[in-house]
Amino acid sequence: VGEAAFQQCTDLSKVTLHNGTQTIGQGAFYQCGNLSSVTLPESLVSIGESAFNSCTSLTSVVVPKNIKTIEPNTFRSCSSLTNIVLPDSLVTIGESAFQGCGMSQIRIPDNVSVFGSYAFKQCESLTSVAIPKSMASIARGAFDECSNLTSVTIPEGVTTIGKEAFRWCNLLSLTLPQSLTTIAEGAG
């Protein structure tokens, strides 16, 4: 699917990509405000930056097992996105990838070792999160403005919490590891 192929197709409500599809280009479904259902094939290896950005009616996505990176802004501002299944093969979650999404929970696979800045910013329904053991640092603003985030578990191995990582959260429970050496200004 090419770059911006269906950008701003406001009447598009359902997309089913058949097996054999390998890539979704940058901004392919950007601002398809009525897109509520997407079926992604197992053959998919790449989802471009902002591919589903501002698909405000999208409720659920299962990311195929061959995806290793969620690019920046891929699902940004998908405010109705309450259910997302990420594959165990995932290694990187890009900057603002899920910013402004509606999920209350997310299972971050153990292989994820990098969050881009603001990866989960403004996920106001998110209530708890467990940082994967493969992470060494939590990026700037990773969970900034997640106003219902009350519980965070940070495993041994994490050495740095970036600026504004948990700003404007209502944390009631926070487990910090002994490996932690740096907590940036305004982290929480």
Side-chain angles (χ1 to χ4, degrees):
V1 179
E3 288 188 16
F6 299 99
Q7 182 175 335
Q8 297 178 328
C9 286
T10 56
D11 292 331
L12 184 62
S13 63
K14 182 178 179 179
V15 171
T16 301
L17 299 175
H18 295 286
N19 215 18
T21 304
Q22 292 190 323
T23 62
I24 297 175
Q26 182 175 338
F29 298 97
Y30 178 71
Q31 290 186 337
C32 291
N34 285 316
L35 182 60
S36 61
S37 174
V38 172
T39 303
L40 302 175
E42 286 300 318
S43 59
L44 201 63
V45 294
S46 173
I47 303 173
E49 185 174 333
S50 295
F52 296 98
N53 187 336
S54 300
C55 292
T56 55
S57 297
L58 189 60
T59 59
S60 179
V61 173
V62 175
V63 178
K65 65 181 178 185
N66 293 322
I67 300 294
K68 294 188 179 358
T69 300
I70 302 290
E71 297 291 344
N73 303 303
T74 297
F75 296 102
R76 183 178 182 163
S77 299
C78 292
S79 54
S80 298
L81 186 59
T82 56
N83 183 31
I84 182 122
V85 178
L86 300 174
D88 290 335
S89 59
L90 195 65
V91 176
T92 303
I93 296 175
E95 183 174 326
S96 298
F98 295 103
Q99 182 174 337
C101 288
M103 73 279 266
S104 62
Q105 298 178 346
I106 187 163
R107 186 189 75 79
I108 302 168
D110 289 338
N111 289 330
V112 172
S113 59
V114 177
F115 285 166
S117 298
Y118 311 108
F120 296 94
K121 180 179 179 170
Q122 297 170 331
C123 290
E124 295 174 357
S125 297
L126 193 61
T127 58
S128 67
V129 69
I131 305 299
K133 293 178 181 176
S134 54
M135 298 277 300
S137 65
I138 299 171
R140 177 183 184 140
F143 297 94
D144 187 15
E145 297 180 50
C146 293
S147 57
N148 286 301
L149 186 60
T150 58
S151 175
V152 176
T153 302
I154 301 172
E156 279 302 323
V158 173
T159 59
T160 305
I161 297 176
K163 187 174 183 176
E164 302 165 351
F166 298 102
R167 186 179 66 155
W168 301 107
C169 295
N170 289 310
L171 293 176
L172 302 175
S173 173
L174 177 65
T175 304
L176 297 175
Q178 289 183 342
S179 58
L180 193 62
T181 58
T182 305
I183 300 175
E185 179 182 330

